[in-house]
Coordinates of all heavy atoms in Angstrom, one line a residue:
T1 N 35.4 227.8 51.1 CA 35.8 228.8 50.1 C 35.7 230.2 50.7 O 36.5 231.0 50.4 CB 35.0 228.7 48.8 OG1 33.7 228.8 49.1 CG2 35.3 227.4 48.1
T2 N 34.8 230.4 51.6 CA 34.6 231.7 52.2 C 35.9 232.0 53.0 O 36.4 233.2 53.0 CB 33.4 231.7 53.2 OG1 32.3 231.4 52.4 CG2 33.2 233.1 53.8
E3 N 36.4 231.0 53.7 CA 37.6 231.3 54.5 C 38.8 231.6 53.7 O 39.6 232.5 54.0 CB 37.9 230.0 55.4 CG 36.9 229.8 56.5 CD 35.7 229.0 56.0 OE1 35.7 228.6 54.8 OE2 34.8 228.8 56.7
I4 N 39.0 231.0 52.5 CA 40.1 231.3 51.6 C 39.9 232.7 51.1 O 40.9 233.4 51.0 CB 40.1 230.2 50.5 CG1 40.5 228.9 51.0 CG2 41.1 230.7 49.4 CD1 40.4 227.7 50.0
Y5 N 38.7 233.1 50.7 CA 38.5 234.4 50.2 C 38.8 235.5 51.3 O 39.5 236.4 51.0 CB 37.0 234.6 49.8 CG 36.7 236.0 49.3 CD1 37.2 236.5 48.1 CD2 35.9 236.8 50.1 CE1 36.9 237.7 47.7 CE2 35.6 238.1 49.7 CZ 36.1 238.5 48.5 OH 35.8 239.8 48.1
T6 N 38.4 235.2 52.5 CA 38.7 236.2 53.6 C 40.2 236.3 53.8 O 40.7 237.4 54.0 CB 38.0 235.7 54.9 OG1 36.6 235.6 54.6 CG2 38.2 236.7 56.0
L7 N 40.9 235.2 53.9 CA 42.3 235.2 54.1 C 43.0 236.0 53.0 O 44.0 236.7 53.2 CB 42.9 233.8 54.2 CG 42.6 233.1 55.5 CD1 43.0 231.6 55.3 CD2 43.3 233.7 56.6
S8 N 42.6 235.8 51.7 CA 43.2 236.4 50.6 C 43.0 237.9 50.7 O 43.9 238.7 50.2 CB 42.7 235.9 49.3 OG 41.3 236.2 49.1
L9 N 41.9 238.4 51.2 CA 41.7 239.8 51.3 C 42.7 240.5 52.3 O 43.1 241.7 52.1 CB 40.3 240.1 51.9 CG 39.1 239.9 51.0 CD1 37.8 240.1 51.7 CD2 39.2 240.7 49.7
H10 N 43.2 239.8 53.2 CA 44.1 240.3 54.2 C 45.6 239.9 54.0 O 46.4 240.0 54.8 CB 43.7 239.9 55.6 CG 42.3 240.3 55.9 ND1 42.0 241.6 56.3 CD2 41.2 239.7 56.0 CE1 40.7 241.7 56.5 NE2 40.2 240.6 56.3
D11 N 45.9 239.4 52.8 CA 47.2 238.9 52.4 C 47.8 237.9 53.4 O 49.0 237.8 53.6 CB 48.2 240.1 52.3 CG 47.9 241.0 51.2 OD1 47.4 240.5 50.1 OD2 48.1 242.2 51.3
A12 N 46.9 237.2 54.0 CA 47.3 236.1 55.0 C 47.4 234.8 54.3 O 47.8 233.8 55.0 CB 46.4 236.1 56.2
L13 N 47.0 234.7 53.1 CA 47.0 233.4 52.4 C 48.4 233.2 51.7 O 48.6 233.9 50.7 CB 45.9 233.3 51.4 CG 45.7 232.0 50.7 CD1 45.3 230.9 51.7 CD2 44.6 232.1 49.7
P14 N 49.2 232.3 52.1 CA 50.5 232.1 51.4 C 50.3 231.4 50.1 O 49.2 230.7 49.9 CB 51.3 231.2 52.4 CG 50.2 230.5 53.2 CD 49.1 231.5 53.3
I15 N 51.2 231.5 49.2 CA 51.1 230.8 47.9 C 51.4 229.4 48.2 O 52.5 229.0 48.8 CB 52.0 231.4 46.9 CG1 51.5 232.9 46.6 CG2 52.1 230.6 45.6 CD1 52.5 233.6 45.7
C16 N 50.6 228.5 47.7 CA 50.9 227.0 47.8 C 50.2 226.4 46.6 O 49.4 226.9 45.9 CB 50.4 226.4 49.1 SG 48.6 226.3 49.2
H17 N 50.6 225.1 46.4 CA 50.1 224.3 45.3 C 49.1 223.4 45.8 O 49.3 222.8 46.9 CB 51.2 223.6 44.6 CG 52.2 224.5 44.0 ND1 53.4 224.9 44.7 CD2 52.3 225.1 42.8 CE1 54.1 225.7 43.9 NE2 53.4 225.9 42.8
V18 N 48.0 223.1 45.1 CA 47.0 222.2 45.5 C 46.7 221.2 44.4 O 46.6 221.6 43.2 CB 45.6 223.0 45.9 CG1 44.5 222.0 46.2 CG2 45.9 224.0 47.0
L19 N 46.7 220.0 44.8 CA 46.4 218.9 43.8 C 45.1 218.2 44.3 O 45.0 217.9 45.4 CB 47.6 217.9 43.9 CG 47.4 216.6 43.0 CD1 47.3 216.9 41.5 CD2 48.5 215.6 43.3
V20 N 44.2 218.1 43.3 CA 42.9 217.4 43.6 C 42.8 216.2 42.7 O 43.0 216.2 41.5 CB 41.7 218.3 43.3 CG1 40.4 217.6 43.6 CG2 41.8 219.6 44.1
R21 N 42.6 215.0 43.4 CA 42.5 213.8 42.7 C 41.1 213.2 43.0 O 40.6 213.2 44.1 CB 43.5 212.8 43.2 CG 44.9 213.1 42.9 CD 45.8 211.9 43.4 NE 47.2 212.3 43.2 CZ 48.1 212.3 44.2 NH1 47.7 212.0 45.4 NH2 49.3 212.6 43.9
V22 N 40.4 212.7 41.9 CA 39.1 212.1 42.1 C 39.2 210.7 41.4 O 39.7 210.6 40.2 CB 38.0 212.9 41.5 CG1 36.7 212.2 41.6 CG2 37.9 214.3 42.1
H23 N 38.9 209.7 42.1 CA 38.9 208.3 41.5 C 37.6 207.6 41.9 O 37.2 207.6 43.0 CB 40.1 207.5 42.1 CG 40.1 206.1 41.6 ND1 40.4 205.7 40.4 CD2 39.7 205.0 42.3 CE1 40.3 204.4 40.2 NE2 39.9 203.9 41.4
R24 N 36.9 207.1 40.9 CA 35.7 206.3 41.1 C 36.0 204.9 40.7 O 36.2 204.5 39.6 CB 34.6 206.8 40.3 CG 33.3 206.1 40.6 CD 32.1 206.7 39.9 NE 30.8 206.3 40.4 CZ 30.2 205.2 39.9 NH1 30.6 204.6 38.9 NH2 29.0 204.9 40.5
G25 N 36.0 204.0 41.7 CA 36.1 202.6 41.5 C 34.8 201.9 41.5 O 33.7 202.6 41.5
E26 N 34.8 200.6 41.4 CA 33.5 199.9 41.4 C 32.8 200.0 42.7 O 31.5 199.9 42.7 CB 33.8 198.4 41.0 CG 34.2 198.2 39.6 CD 34.4 196.8 39.2 OE1 33.7 195.9 39.8 OE2 35.2 196.5 38.3
E27 N 33.5 200.1 43.8 CA 32.9 200.0 45.1 C 32.9 201.4 45.9 O 32.1 201.6 46.8 CB 33.5 198.9 46.0 CG 33.3 197.5 45.4 CD 33.9 196.5 46.2 OE1 34.2 196.8 47.4 OE2 33.9 195.3 45.8
A28 N 33.8 202.2 45.5 CA 34.0 203.5 46.2 C 34.4 204.6 45.4 O 35.0 204.4 44.3 CB 34.9 203.3 47.4
M29 N 34.1 205.8 45.8 CA 34.7 207.0 45.2 C 35.6 207.7 46.1 O 35.3 207.8 47.3 CB 33.5 208.0 44.7 CG 34.1 209.2 44.0 SD 32.7 210.1 43.3 CE 32.4 211.2 44.6
R30 N 36.7 208.2 45.7 CA 37.7 208.8 46.5 C 38.0 210.2 46.0 O 38.3 210.4 44.8 CB 39.0 208.0 46.6 CG 40.0 208.6 47.6 CD 41.2 207.7 47.7 NE 41.0 206.5 46.8 CZ 42.0 205.7 46.4 NH1 43.2 205.9 46.7 NH2 41.7 204.7 45.7
L31 N 38.0 211.2 46.9 CA 38.4 212.5 46.6 C 39.6 212.8 47.5 O 39.5 212.6 48.7 CB 37.3 213.5 46.9 CG 37.7 215.0 46.9 CD1 38.1 215.4 45.5 CD2 36.5 215.8 47.4
Q32 N 40.7 213.2 46.9 CA 41.9 213.5 47.7 C 42.4 214.9 47.4 O 42.5 215.3 46.2 CB 43.0 212.5 47.5 CG 44.2 212.7 48.4 CD 45.2 211.6 48.2 OE1 45.7 211.4 47.1 NE2 45.5 210.9 49.3
V33 N 42.6 215.8 48.4 CA 43.1 217.1 48.2 C 44.4 217.2 48.9 O 44.5 216.9 50.1 CB 42.1 218.2 48.7 CG1 42.7 219.6 48.5 CG2 40.8 218.0 48.1
V34 N 45.5 217.6 48.2 CA 46.8 217.6 48.8 C 47.4 219.0 48.5 O 47.3 219.5 47.4 CB 47.8 216.6 48.1 CG1 49.2 216.7 48.7 CG2 47.2 215.2 48.2
D35 N 47.9 219.6 49.6 CA 48.6 220.9 49.4 C 50.0 220.9 50.0 O 50.3 220.0 50.8 CB 47.8 222.1 49.9 CG 47.7 222.2 51.4 OD1 48.8 222.0 52.1 OD2 46.6 222.4 52.0
D36 N 50.8 221.8 49.6 CA 52.2 221.9 50.1 C 52.3 223.2 51.0 O 53.4 223.8 51.1 CB 53.2 221.9 49.0 CG 53.1 223.1 48.1 OD1 52.1 223.9 48.2 OD2 54.0 223.3 47.2
G37 N 51.2 223.5 51.6 CA 51.2 224.7 52.5 C 51.9 224.5 53.8 O 52.8 223.6 54.0
C38 N 51.5 225.3 54.8 CA 52.1 225.3 56.1 C 51.5 224.3 57.1 O 51.9 224.2 58.2 CB 52.1 226.7 56.7 SG 50.4 227.3 57.0
G39 N 50.5 223.4 56.6 CA 49.9 222.5 57.5 C 48.9 223.1 58.4 O 48.6 224.3 58.3
I40 N 48.2 222.3 59.2 CA 47.2 222.8 60.1 C 47.8 223.0 61.5 O 48.3 222.1 62.1 CB 46.0 221.8 60.2 CG1 45.4 221.5 58.8 CG2 45.0 222.3 61.2 CD1 44.4 220.4 58.8
P41 N 47.8 224.2 62.0 CA 48.3 224.5 63.3 C 47.6 223.7 64.4 O 46.4 223.4 64.3 CB 48.1 226.0 63.6 CG 47.9 226.5 62.2 CD 47.3 225.4 61.4
R42 N 48.4 223.2 65.4 CA 47.8 222.4 66.4 C 46.7 223.1 67.3 O 45.8 222.4 67.8 CB 48.9 221.9 67.4 CG 49.9 221.0 66.7 CD 50.9 220.4 67.7 NE 52.0 219.8 67.0 CZ 52.0 218.6 66.5 NH1 51.0 217.8 66.7 NH2 53.1 218.1 65.9
D43 N 46.8 224.4 67.4 CA 45.9 225.1 68.2 C 44.6 225.6 67.5 O 43.8 226.2 68.1 CB 46.6 226.3 68.9 CG 47.1 227.3 67.8 OD1 47.2 226.9 66.6 OD2 47.4 228.5 68.2
V44 N 44.5 225.2 66.3 CA 43.3 225.5 65.5 C 42.1 224.6 65.8 O 42.3 223.3 65.9 CB 43.6 225.5 64.0 CG1 42.3 225.6 63.2 CG2 44.5 226.6 63.6
T45 N 40.9 225.1 66.1 CA 39.8 224.2 66.2 C 39.5 223.6 64.9 O 39.4 224.3 63.9 CB 38.6 225.0 66.8 OG1 38.2 226.0 65.9 CG2 38.8 225.5 68.2
K46 N 39.3 222.3 64.8 CA 39.1 221.6 63.6 C 37.7 221.2 63.4 O 37.4 220.1 62.9 CB 40.1 220.4 63.5 CG 41.5 220.8 63.6 CD 42.4 219.6 63.7 CE 43.9 220.1 63.8 NZ 44.5 219.8 65.0
R47 N 36.8 222.1 63.7 CA 35.4 221.8 63.6 C 35.0 221.4 62.2 O 34.2 220.5 61.9 CB 34.5 223.0 64.1 CG 33.1 222.7 64.2 CD 32.3 223.9 64.7 NE 33.2 224.8 65.5 CZ 32.9 226.1 65.7 NH1 31.7 226.5 65.4 NH2 33.7 226.8 66.4
G48 N 35.4 222.2 61.2 CA 35.1 221.9 59.8 C 35.6 220.6 59.3 O 35.0 219.9 58.6
L49 N 36.8 220.2 59.8 CA 37.4 218.9 59.4 C 36.7 217.8 60.1 O 36.4 216.8 59.5 CB 38.9 218.9 59.8 CG 39.8 219.9 59.0 CD1 41.2 219.9 59.5 CD2 39.7 219.7 57.5
R50 N 36.3 218.0 61.3 CA 35.5 217.0 62.0 C 34.1 216.8 61.3 O 33.6 215.7 61.2 CB 35.3 217.3 63.5 CG 36.4 217.0 64.3 CD 36.1 217.0 65.8 NE 35.6 218.3 66.2 CZ 36.5 219.3 66.7 NH1 37.8 219.1 66.8 NH2 36.0 220.4 67.1
H51 N 33.6 217.9 60.8 CA 32.3 217.8 60.0 C 32.5 216.9 58.8 O 31.6 216.1 58.5 CB 31.8 219.2 59.7 CG 30.5 219.2 59.0 ND1 29.4 218.9 59.6 CD2 30.2 219.5 57.7 CE1 28.4 219.0 58.8 NE2 28.8 219.4 57.6
L52 N 33.6 217.1 58.1 CA 33.9 216.2 56.9 C 34.0 214.7 57.3 O 33.4 213.9 56.6 CB 35.2 216.6 56.3 CG 35.3 217.8 55.4 CD1 36.7 218.1 55.0 CD2 34.4 217.7 54.2
E53 N 34.6 214.5 58.5 CA 34.7 213.1 58.9 C 33.3 212.5 59.3 O 33.0 211.4 58.9 CB 35.6 213.0 60.2 CG 37.1 213.3 59.9 CD 37.9 213.5 61.1 OE1 37.4 213.9 62.1 OE2 39.1 213.2 61.0
E54 N 32.5 213.3 59.9 CA 31.1 212.9 60.3 C 30.3 212.7 59.1 O 29.5 211.7 59.0 CB 30.5 214.0 61.2 CG 31.1 214.1 62.6 CD 30.7 215.3 63.3 OE1 29.8 216.1 62.8 OE2 31.2 215.5 64.4
R55 N 30.4 213.5 58.1 CA 29.6 213.4 56.8 C 30.0 212.1 56.1 O 29.2 211.4 55.5 CB 29.7 214.6 56.0 CG 29.0 215.8 56.6 CD 29.0 217.0 55.7 NE 28.1 216.7 54.5 CZ 27.9 217.6 53.5 NH1 28.6 218.7 53.6 NH2 27.1 217.3 52.5
A56 N 31.3 211.8 56.0 CA 31.8 210.6 55.4 C 31.3 209.4 56.1 O 30.8 208.4 55.5 CB 33.3 210.6 55.3
A57 N 31.4 209.4 57.4 CA 30.9 208.3 58.2 C 29.4 208.0 58.1 O 28.9 206.9 58.0 CB 31.3 208.5 59.7
A58 N 28.6 209.1 58.0 CA 27.2 209.0 57.8 C 26.8 208.4 56.5 O 25.8 207.8 56.3 CB 26.5 210.4 58.0
S59 N 27.8 208.5 55.5 CA 27.6 207.9 54.2 C 28.2 206.5 54.1 O 28.2 206.0 53.0 CB 28.2 208.8 53.1 OG 27.6 210.1 53.1
G60 N 28.7 206.0 55.2 CA 29.3 204.7 55.1 C 30.7 204.7 54.7 O 31.3 203.7 54.4
G61 N 31.3 205.9 54.7 CA 32.7 206.0 54.2 C 33.6 206.5 55.3 O 33.3 206.3 56.5
R62 N 34.7 207.1 54.9 CA 35.7 207.6 55.9 C 36.4 208.9 55.3 O 36.5 209.0 54.1 CB 36.6 206.6 56.3 CG 37.5 206.1 55.2 CD 38.3 204.9 55.5 NE 39.1 204.5 54.4 CZ 40.4 204.4 54.3 NH1 41.1 204.6 55.4 NH2 41.0 204.0 53.3
C63 N 36.9 209.6 56.2 CA 37.7 210.8 55.8 C 39.0 210.8 56.7 O 38.9 210.7 57.9 CB 36.9 212.1 56.1 SG 37.8 213.6 55.7
T64 N 40.1 210.9 56.1 CA 41.4 210.9 56.8 C 42.1 212.3 56.5 O 42.0 212.8 55.4 CB 42.3 209.8 56.5 OG1 42.5 209.8 55.1 CG2 41.7 208.4 56.9
I65 N 42.7 212.8 57.6 CA 43.4 214.1 57.4 C 44.8 213.9 58.0 O 45.0 213.5 59.1 CB 42.6 215.2 58.2 CG1 41.2 215.3 57.7 CG2 43.4 216.5 58.2 CD1 40.2 215.8 58.6
A66 N 45.7 214.2 57.1 CA 47.1 214.1 57.6 C 47.8 215.5 57.4 O 47.7 216.1 56.3 CB 47.9 213.1 56.7
S67 N 48.4 216.0 58.4 CA 49.0 217.3 58.3 C 50.1 217.4 59.3 O 50.1 216.8 60.4 CB 47.9 218.4 58.7 OG 48.5 219.7 58.6
S68 N 51.2 218.1 58.9 CA 52.3 218.4 59.8 C 52.8 219.7 59.5 O 52.7 220.2 58.3 CB 53.4 217.3 59.6 OG 53.9 217.3 58.3
P69 N 53.4 220.4 60.5 CA 53.9 221.8 60.3 C 54.8 221.9 59.1 O 55.7 221.0 59.0 CB 54.5 222.1 61.6 CG 53.9 221.2 62.6 CD 53.6 219.9 61.8
D70 N 54.6 222.9 58.3 CA 55.5 223.1 57.2 C 55.6 222.0 56.1 O 56.5 222.0 55.3 CB 56.9 223.5 57.6 CG 56.9 224.7 58.5 OD1 56.2 225.7 58.2 OD2 57.7 224.7 59.5
S71 N 54.6 221.1 56.2 CA 54.6 220.0 55.2 C 53.3 219.9 54.4 O 53.2 218.9 53.7 CB 55.0 218.7 55.9 OG 56.3 218.7 56.4
G72 N 52.4 220.7 54.7 CA 51.1 220.7 53.9 C 50.1 219.7 54.6 O 50.3 219.2 55.7
T73 N 49.1 219.5 53.9 CA 47.9 218.8 54.4 C 47.4 217.9 53.3 O 47.3 218.3 52.1 CB 46.8 219.7 54.9 OG1 47.4 220.6 55.9 CG2 45.6 218.9 55.5
T74 N 47.0 216.7 53.7 CA 46.3 215.8 52.7 C 45.0 215.4 53.4 O 44.9 214.9 54.5 CB 47.1 214.5 52.5 OG1 48.4 214.9 51.9 CG2 46.4 213.6 51.5
V75 N 43.9 215.6 52.6 CA 42.5 215.2 53.1 C 42.1 214.2 52.1 O 42.0 214.5 50.8 CB 41.6 216.4 53.1 CG1 40.2 215.9 53.5 CG2 42.1 217.4 54.1
T76 N 41.7 213.0 52.5 CA 41.2 211.9 51.7 C 39.8 211.6 52.1 O 39.6 211.3 53.3 CB 42.1 210.7 51.7 OG1 43.4 211.1 51.4 CG2 41.6 209.6 50.8
W77 N 38.8 211.7 51.2 CA 37.4 211.4 51.5 C 37.0 210.3 50.6 O 37.1 210.4 49.4 CB 36.6 212.7 51.2 CG 35.3 212.8 51.9 CD1 35.1 213.0 53.2 CD2 34.0 212.8 51.3 NE1 33.7 213.1 53.4 CE2 33.1 213.0 52.3 CE3 33.6 212.6 49.9 CZ2 31.7 213.0 52.0 CZ3 32.2 212.7 49.7 CH2 31.3 212.8 50.7
E78 N 36.5 209.2 51.2 CA 36.1 208.0 50.5 C 34.8 207.5 50.9 O 34.5 207.4 52.1 CB 37.2 206.9 50.7 CG 37.0 205.7 49.8 CD 38.2 204.8 49.9 OE1 39.0 204.9 50.8 OE2 38.3 203.9 49.0
V79 N 33.9 207.3 50.0 CA 32.5 206.9 50.2 C 32.1 205.8 49.3 O 32.6 205.7 48.1 CB 31.5 208.0 50.2 CG1 31.7 209.0 51.3 CG2 31.5 208.7 48.8
P80 N 31.3 204.9 49.7 CA 30.9 203.8 48.8 C 30.0 204.3 47.7 O 29.3 205.3 47.8 CB 30.0 202.9 49.7 CG 29.8 203.6 51.0 CD 30.7 204.8 51.0
V81 N 30.1 203.6 46.5 CA 29.3 204.0 45.4 C 28.0 203.1 45.4 O 28.2 201.9 45.6 CB 30.1 203.7 44.1 CG1 29.2 204.0 42.9 CG2 31.3 204.6 44.0
A82 N 26.9 203.7 45.2 CA 25.6 202.9 45.3 C 25.4 202.2 44.0 O 25.8 202.5 43.0 CB 24.5 203.9 45.5

């Protein structure tokens, strides 16, 4: 959220739509965030996204990130329910 706030201060944050879905099944909980923004540039270091993947794996789950230029990004985070 700090990054979004900083970008908004400099008018560098384009307007996009964000959809957040949360589903809790019997065995897993899934959080999915989808936006229709500009995607993740290839030259960006994805340290924060790797951290999400590591945290999901440490919980026995997984995190997938799908992004393409001018098509937005989908982040799906799924962990088992205890």
Side-chain angles (χ1 to χ4, degrees):
T1 58
T2 302
E3 293 82 4
I4 293 172
Y5 176 73
T6 302
L7 286 171
S8 68
L9 288 176
H10 301 285
D11 292 329
L13 186 63
I15 295 174
C16 70
H17 299 94
V18 177
L19 174 65
V20 177
R21 294 183 184 122
V22 179
H23 174 74
R24 184 175 193 266
E26 290 184 26
E27 297 182 11
M29 184 171 88
R30 182 178 358 162
L31 169 68
Q32 187 174 58
V33 180
V34 180
D35 72 46
D36 63 353
C38 60
I40 301 171
R42 296 183 192 277
D43 60 345
V44 169
T45 59
K46 299 176 181 113
R47 188 176 341 162
L49 297 176
R50 280 195 297 271
H51 185 67
L52 283 175
E53 293 170 333
E54 292 167 2
R55 290 185 70 181
S59 300
R62 64 190 176 121
C63 178
T64 58
I65 300 151
S67 182
S68 58
D70 300 320
S71 295
T73 302
T74 300
V75 177
T76 304
W77 200 69
E78 189 170 14
V79 293
V81 174

